[in-house]
Amino acid sequence: MALQSKRKSRLSVWYDKFANFNVETLFSRKRPVGPPRSVFVHQQLPEDYYDKKGKVKKEHTYTTNQVITSKYTIITFLPRNLLEQFRRVANCFFLAIAILQFFSLFSTVSPGLVILPLLIVLGITAIKDGYEDIKRHQSDRQVNYSIVRVLSGGQWSNSNAMEEKSKTFVRGFIPKFKRGGKKNKAVAEDAERDGNKERMDMLQGAPPGAVDLNAPTTTTQPGGPGEEFDGVEYDDDAPVESPGGILHMHHYGTKRPHWKLTTWEDIKVGDFVKILDNEAIPADVLICATSEEENVAFVETKNLDGETNLKSRTACPALTYLRSAKDIADPNDVFTVDCDRPDINLYRQNAAIVKPDGSKAPVDIQMMLLRGTVLRNTKWVIGVVLYTGQDTKIVLNSGDTPSKRSRVEKQMNPQVFFNLAVLAAMAVACGIADALLEQHYFPLGAPWLFGDTHSSDNPKINGLITWAFALITFQNIVPISLYISIEFVRSIQALWIYFDTEMYYPKTGQYTLARSWNLSDDLGQIQYIFSDKTGTLTQNAMVFRQCSIGGRAYKGDPETSTSEDSELTKTDPFLQKSAKRSSSDSDTGLSGSAVPSTSGSGNGSPHVGRVLDPKLATEVKLSNGVLKRFKDHILSADIASAAASTASADTDAQAYAHSRHLHGFWLTVALCHTVLASVDPESGALEYKAQSPDEAALVQAAADMGFTFRGRDKEIIYVTTPFSEGVDRYELLNVLEFTSARKRMSVVVRKLDDEEHRLLLLTKGADNVIFERLKEGHDELKNVTEDHLAEFASNGLRTLTLAWKPIPDDEYEAWNVRYNEATVALEDREEKIEAVCEELELDLRMLGCTAIEDRLQDGVPEAIADLKEAGIKIWVATGDKLETAIAIGHSTNLIGREDNVVIIRGGGDTGRPVYSQMLGAVDEFFPESGILQDDEIAAHIKSDANPTGGYALQRVNTGVTSIVGHDNGNRPGGYVLVIDGSALTEALSDDMHKQLLLRLATQCEGVICCRVSPLQKALVVRLVKDGLGVMTLAIGDGANDVSMIQAADVGVGISGEEGLQAVNSSDYAIAQFRFLKRLLLVHGHWSYARNGNMIVNFFYKNIVCIGILWWYMIYCAWSSQYVFEYTYLLFWNSFWTILPVIAMGLFDRVVDDHVLMSLPELYSHSRRGEYFNLRLFLIYMLDGVYQSAVIFFFLLYGYFSPTPRTDGYDTQLYDFSTTMAISAVMVVTLFVGVNISTWTRGVFIALAIEIVLIWAYTAIYSIIKPSWFVTPVYGNDHYLFHSALFWLGLFFTIPLALLPRIACKSYKSMFHPSDLDRVRYLHKIDPDHDFRHDRDSGGVDYLKRVISMTHGVRRKSLLAPKQAGPRTGSRTDMATGMRTTNTGYDFSMEENGVALRRLQSNLSGINQPGVGGHKRRRSLLHSIGKTIRRKK
């Protein structure tokens, strides 16, 4: 950990404040969190809500629903942008110099011409910033102008007060449905087309009979073309009053309650909104009613918390009668919603419904739809808006758009300060020397001082004037063209990134986009990457890959190009046959009435030929979140054989036993879950609605194997299997819930269709949890299954173990009594329920295990492995639970094969404080790190020497021996820290915890933060960024990643399936995580090397010019006169020397891109900041000083001969100064060329242009006749080009000036070559060399060994670095002391969710409620060794 010095000088403190000044603090006022609020429905605001003037008090005025991520408005653009630009010290200096020259005493040319370069720089930068922000405004507009249905009409009015909307930078377009009809014919036609589209969108949610399908669509009102057109929808049964349907609205139509299409930014607190399936939630909404049975709604929360599984939400029981606009608009329905103040906690909401009679109904987070989530698998939801805009949880967890500056730009400020200090010293020296000389020679009657007797021109004041003139003379020491050149180069670099086809994603047609053009060089210095998991590393989809049943492993059929596994619907002959039986049974009354869909699909519009009963469906639709079907012809044959053998009496015992395992395994998969079954009204196929993609994959696989779950009717579950001819019925008696502590889920079911009515316990969970509850015996099956689990886990698959047991009736009756008593206990209810569940979940019988692949984004493991090899540390911050995060860590190579996982969990369950857990981890795994010896940390450790310490240093209790991992802490792979959200809350609470967390984390190769909120993600980024002073990059794809992206130095958004929230707030937008590798290793490396070298060369070339001017001061009495003719100085940065450095910034390549991709270790040169630092800057400054001295003194003394002219006249100033100018331009041009690693066509052209330009200008400028305009160098060509001293001076000065640089580069490349030198040399002599082979042999270290050898290459194989593989390492939970060998278990389920509550409540009827080969390479490298020996 980089510890900063506690004592700083006042100057350093002042500079730190200046460098870290954030302009946004002046323009973005963080709105304070308001007090608890009351939302009034059908009632006026209380009198105490108004002030004396009759206005609503500020604390009772709610923020608008308008959310703006842009930086500027039309008012703040100019002052804010100027402040941002004048954070550059150089701009302040240029402004001061320009103002100085507005005074006639110091004027050299026109004052307007002087300030013009600064205005150009400021203007171009402002245009670039404005363009970037316009793009942000356009993205904001897409969100703020999204459409939602809001209650309107009738006697409804919303009395809750709202703030006014903010004005934006660019004029917002009018929503299409509000466009008037007064435009020309083309516009009217466009509006009609738009209206048709919107009409179809609205018809999607309109009930039958509410709209006239044959009504004409029009955008013109009967009241005239100037009136506003509104989209209106009715959902009651009354006839439509408007003859034009819902899109032809008359004046009197607004009297009826209806749903009006409204933009998101116009939503108010207290509004009732209607949201349809697959629509995003516009604000934080309290659910009143839904289209589903039991008023359940499903939402996708991956934008909010990163989890892919659907979450179930339920309506507030006190408001479920509000199912239509008419019901809500009833003025007699008065109530108030008392809410807590806006809170960042995503998992907490405290509110209550208060009726006029004083009765209250509680409201919690399970009844809320939060902004940023998407409604799924639910036809419609009606709710009341409680929080809008800045008060919503998603926005509270994000921040204002920061004004980011690159590290290179920050590092330039000290260098500019250094040059300014040199400039000040030069000016002071000139002023003092001039004053002393004038005061000495004036009394002696010096002719050049004749007339210096005025108040503004005398020896006493001229020293000060000379000082000011010196500032103007030497002002180019800080080149103004540097900044405009950097802006230009970065803009072109953004285009290089955009047009890189290697980062183009053809599936979406998206290129990589640089949204912030000034951070390209930061991409080359990244040290820490913070990544989201869901949607960033994974595809949010599962694939059922393999399974083990009764000791036999089934690994699925190999994938083929003609596979039908991913078909959306699949017709199964068995399903058809089963459906026919079920239909006949239904006709005869044997199977009961048709089971309505538990997801409310029966409310949809019926389709001809389609059935809505899941029992009658003949097709199974591929579930959402499942990529492909499971196929295994061996397993299918075994199932068919087992089904046939059940009817045969001569089946052998082994076949019979495996038949029972097959039946029990797939029956457990088909019955033990919370999935809902319904019929897709479009296709008529059976579809599953799951909260978790894990469950969807399992139930889908069971259906693929013939065990089809066909829905449940409260406590009755319907399933078809190959072992029976009809639909089997099971009575669901109890659900033993899944929790992170239990790591298992069980159901107790009774089979209704057999005479015995057997009771079964079906269980699924983690392997170690299931194994320790198995019945004694059958060790062989257990051992085989363990081997299969290890094999599945080694392939990166997520495993789940299944078991079952029969339950005697009397045992169950006694247990059920105890279970019911525990469920109604008022004290320690959870503990009592868990204890009773433990009683039943014993003596289980092993069935087998499943292996599911959490499909990663393409190339993610390889990209992470390469980024780690590049020396970048990767942290993953996710909202998923701990097991999921660890499983993804293994499959993505973040956790290697030999790595150990150290877990820090919140101490709430175990009582062990988080600080104590971290101390224990350091003491056990990093005893020699010196962390515990740190005075600040040691002060908190309780010991004999420090009895007042707050935390005792405890070794971890290893726990149960059977699940302890072997050699934990001694594995060669290193450590990965895993910390959950509750522990992170405590660890970020104060500086004491932060320091220890940071010290512990830096000892680990990676860190995984799970169950974290969006705000915690940002806090973790800031902890590392500020605590270590490192360059950070954050990457994500959802709204929950916005705060993290904004907090990092560089933010990257993935424009995936989660919308544009992350992209809108990012600096770079990519389509896939794997593109991040090329973005950093190639474009980041190139950009940083180009920009760093360009800047130091820029400073260098100006030092050459200023140095020549400075040396001339010795011979001009320190009078600040120019040695050059003024135009040579004026065009120095704009014409003579600009193109080579621009070419360096655009075309230079340290090495080619395929080399950088093949050898990620080369990124370390960029990451360590080798291309731009103070040492490099000083070296280039010394180079410039030396070259200026060689040019000036060699030519000056060369021209000290009697005269170089043939006419005998003495040498004029411009005779030798023009030679100096030409020599300086050629030296600078060639010097920059020497520093360019790759000479491309663009480089050749740029260098040639500069040399030709200076020669052509000199020749043409010297022949301009005075009759055209007067020049001081007329005829100079006659004396210049005919002089031997001119040619001799150029011949000697150019090689002498370049000699030190060329000699040093040659010596270094021959005797002390860097990795880049070796790679460049290899690539030069063998352009087709495959560096991937070198990487397999050891990478850069291999090249070092080979090239440094003097006796050829020894023929021995070099061990390739071990590839990071999936999960065989151990992990230690510091909260419990449990050390386990991870076998890949993971399962996602919402704990204490609505789905489980619903299952438990449905059981109320019978129970109490519950819950090229080596030879050529040798020859090549041998020749390299011989070459080096020759050079030595």
Side-chain angles (χ1 to χ4, degrees), residues 219-366:
T219 58
T220 308
Q221 313 224 19
E227 295 189 26
E228 191 179 73
F229 161 71
D230 291 326
V232 175
E233 173 186 330
Y234 299 96
D235 60 4
D236 55 14
D237 296 327
V240 178
E241 297 179 57
S242 168
I246 66 171
L247 296 180
H248 193 155
M249 187 64 205
H250 287 283
H251 294 290
Y252 57 82
T254 58
K255 296 180 181 179
R256 294 183 52 223
H258 57 268
W259 300 105
K260 179 180 178 181
L261 290 181
T262 306
T263 58
W264 278 21
E265 66 178 11
D266 292 326
I267 295 176
K268 301 177 181 180
V269 171
D271 277 346
F272 282 85
V273 295
K274 182 178 183 179
I275 303 160
L276 304 186
D277 191 20
N278 297 322
E279 289 185 349
I281 310 302
D284 289 356
V285 177
L286 171 62
I287 305 174
C288 297
T290 78
S291 60
E292 310 302 291
E293 289 187 0
E294 303 173 16
N295 280 301
V296 174
F298 295 92
V299 291
E300 186 178 70
T301 63
K302 59 185 179 182
N303 275 359
L304 204 61
D305 56 16
E307 295 190 22
T308 59
N309 52 301
L310 297 182
K311 303 290 180 60
S312 54
R313 298 290 182 260
T314 186
C316 178
L319 302 177
T320 53
Y321 60 91
L322 301 176
R323 303 186 62 84
S324 67
K326 181 180 179 181
D327 295 336
I328 303 170
D330 183 1
N332 297 320
D333 184 29
V334 178
F335 62 89
T336 304
V337 186
D338 290 341
C339 309
D340 200 355
R341 65 179 62 218
D343 187 9
I344 63 173
N345 192 328
L346 297 175
Y347 309 105
R348 182 179 65 194
Q349 176 65 53
N350 294 324
I353 306 295
V354 182
K355 294 290 187 176
D357 59 1
S359 61
K360 293 185 178 181
V363 172
D364 58 23
I365 194 65
Q366 292 292 335

Side-chain angles (χ1 to χ4, degrees), residues 1003-1271:
Q1003 298 296 318
C1004 301
E1005 290 186 348
V1007 177
I1008 300 177
C1009 305
C1010 53
R1011 282 296 185 192
V1012 292
S1013 67
L1015 185 60
Q1016 283 180 320
K1017 291 183 179 183
L1019 293 176
V1020 169
V1021 174
R1022 293 192 184 100
L1023 173 68
V1024 176
K1025 175 182 171 182
D1026 300 334
L1028 301 180
V1030 295
M1031 287 292 294
T1032 58
L1033 179 146
I1035 179 171
D1037 69 327
N1040 61 309
D1041 304 314
V1042 168
S1043 56
M1044 176 176 69
I1045 287 173
Q1046 292 177 336
D1049 294 291
V1050 179
V1052 178
I1054 295 181
S1055 54
E1057 301 176 358
E1058 298 192 16
L1060 298 174
Q1061 292 93 333
V1063 170
N1064 290 347
S1065 302
S1066 67
D1067 304 304
Y1068 291 88
I1070 62 178
Q1072 294 273 284
F1073 180 88
R1074 57 190 167 96
F1075 295 151
L1076 183 65
K1077 173 187 172 183
R1078 185 173 179 86
L1079 185 65
L1080 298 185
L1081 301 190
V1082 176
H1083 289 283
H1085 198 152
W1086 278 355
S1087 297
Y1088 178 50
R1090 289 167 173 170
N1091 295 351
N1093 286 330
M1094 182 185 73
I1095 292 170
V1096 292
N1097 278 275
F1098 227 112
F1099 280 118
Y1100 144 80
K1101 72 182 184 64
N1102 278 47
I1103 285 294
V1104 173
C1105 176
I1106 297 302
I1108 295 174
L1109 295 177
W1110 171 254
W1111 301 128
Y1112 180 64
M1113 295 300 103
I1114 302 173
Y1115 301 95
C1116 71
W1118 305 93
S1119 58
S1120 301
Q1121 296 300 311
Y1122 301 121
V1123 65
F1124 298 133
E1125 195 275 331
Y1126 185 71
T1127 58
Y1128 285 95
L1129 182 62
L1130 182 65
F1131 298 143
W1132 178 264
N1133 283 315
S1134 54
F1135 291 111
W1136 312 140
T1137 60
I1138 190 67
L1139 287 183
V1141 289
I1142 292 293
M1144 173 181 281
L1146 295 181
F1147 306 115
D1148 192 17
R1149 298 194 302 269
V1150 285
V1151 288
D1152 284 355
D1153 56 343
H1154 71 278
V1155 180
L1156 293 173
M1157 292 290 283
S1158 300
L1159 298 174
E1161 307 100 306
L1162 296 177
Y1163 185 78
S1164 61
H1165 295 275
S1166 178
R1167 178 174 50 82
R1168 292 195 296 259
E1170 295 181 3
Y1171 300 114
F1172 188 69
N1173 50 57
L1174 185 59
R1175 175 178 171 274
L1176 199 63
F1177 169 77
L1178 293 177
I1179 290 175
Y1180 275 80
M1181 294 300 99
L1182 292 176
D1183 251 324
V1185 172
Y1186 163 78
Q1187 292 178 11
S1188 67
V1190 168
I1191 294 171
F1192 179 83
F1193 289 107
F1194 191 94
L1195 292 176
L1196 178 68
Y1197 287 113
Y1199 276 86
F1200 267 3
S1201 61
T1203 178
R1205 297 188 174 190
T1206 57
D1207 58 5
Y1209 281 96
D1210 196 3
T1211 303
Q1212 287 189 349
L1213 172 64
Y1214 295 141
D1215 288 352
F1216 68 87
S1217 69
T1218 303
T1219 308
M1220 291 180 183
I1222 295 175
S1223 176
V1225 171
M1226 294 188 67
V1227 166
V1228 167
T1229 300
L1230 295 176
F1231 181 85
V1232 175
V1234 168
N1235 293 324
I1236 294 178
S1237 302
T1238 306
W1239 279 42
T1240 61
R1241 182 182 303 173
V1243 173
F1244 273 105
I1245 293 174
L1247 300 184
I1249 287 176
E1250 295 293 40
I1251 294 176
V1252 171
L1253 192 61
I1254 188 65
W1255 283 88
Y1257 176 81
T1258 301
I1260 296 172
Y1261 191 47
S1262 300
I1263 63 175
I1264 296 177
K1265 296 181 179 181
S1267 58
W1268 297 352
F1269 59 87
V1270 179
T1271 65

Side-chain angles (χ1 to χ4, degrees), residues 47-98:
E47 294 183 0
D48 58 355
Y49 271 44
Y50 296 91
D51 58 17
K52 296 180 180 179
K53 297 181 179 180
K55 296 182 179 180
V56 180
K57 296 179 181 179
K58 188 174 182 180
E59 60 267 23
H60 300 304
T61 303
Y62 308 128
T63 181
T64 70
N65 203 43
Q66 186 182 44
V67 175
I68 298 176
T69 62
S70 52
K71 291 164 55 176
Y72 307 115
T73 67
I74 194 67
I75 297 175
T76 64
F77 174 72
L78 188 61
R80 180 170 182 175
N81 189 263
L82 288 177
L83 277 176
E84 289 176 355
Q85 295 199 56
F86 278 101
R87 286 191 296 181
R88 297 171 174 171
V89 179
N91 283 347
C92 299
F93 168 72
F94 299 143
L95 180 63
I97 292 298

Side-chain angles (χ1 to χ4, degrees), residues 876-897:
V876 173
T878 176
D880 283 343
K881 61 189 181 71
L882 185 141
E883 289 81 8
T884 305
I886 293 177
I888 294 299
H890 284 293
S891 58
T892 58
N893 282 337
L894 186 62
I895 303 175
R897 181 182 297 273

Side-chain angles (χ1 to χ4, degrees), residues 793-985:
S794 66
N795 293 326
L797 303 178
R798 300 163 63 168
T799 61
L800 198 66
T801 308
L802 281 67
W804 76 289
K805 80 169 185 179
I807 310 175
D809 289 347
D810 54 350
E811 178 183 341
Y812 172 75
E813 294 298 335
W815 175 87
N816 193 40
V817 172
R818 296 193 300 274
Y819 179 76
N820 289 333
E821 291 176 352
T823 58
V824 297
L826 298 180
E827 296 182 0
D828 303 325
R829 178 182 299 177
E830 290 76 11
E831 291 78 4
K832 292 179 180 179
I833 291 176
E834 185 169 350
V836 175
C837 293
E838 287 277 355
E839 298 176 7
L840 191 64
E841 295 170 324
L842 293 175
D843 297 330
L844 301 177
R845 302 178 184 182
M846 171 66 70
L847 288 172
C849 62
T850 63
I852 297 176
E853 177 187 358
D854 189 354
R855 182 66 64 86
L856 300 175
Q857 299 272 6
D858 295 337
V860 165
E862 295 81 5
I864 288 182
D866 288 342
L867 291 172
K868 290 173 64 178
E869 194 170 349
I872 302 174
K873 290 193 173 184
I874 301 177
W875 291 31
V876 173
T878 176
D880 283 343
K881 61 189 181 71
L882 185 141
E883 289 81 8
T884 305
I886 293 177
I888 294 299
H890 284 293
S891 58
T892 58
N893 282 337
L894 186 62
I895 303 175
R897 181 182 297 273
E898 300 295 336
D899 287 347
N900 303 282
V901 180
V902 180
I903 302 173
I904 305 294
R905 293 194 297 143
D909 297 331
T910 64
R912 188 173 182 189
V914 171
Y915 197 84
S916 179
Q917 294 181 50
M918 292 191 291
L919 287 176
V922 173
D923 181 49
E924 181 167 359
F925 302 115
F926 312 108
E928 299 180 358
S929 62
I931 296 177
L932 299 181
Q933 285 71 42
D934 185 272
D935 292 339
E936 294 184 5
I937 295 177
H940 302 290
I941 302 176
K942 187 175 183 179
S943 63
D944 295 337
N946 183 28
T948 60
Y951 301 93
L953 198 59
Q954 302 176 9
R955 282 285 180 170
V956 178
N957 181 11
T958 57
V960 183
T961 306
S962 61
I963 60 173
V964 174
H966 300 291
D967 299 327
N968 190 55
N970 298 320
R971 294 180 178 272
Y975 298 86
V976 175
L977 175 66
V978 179
I979 182 169
D980 67 10
S982 58
L984 201 58
T985 300

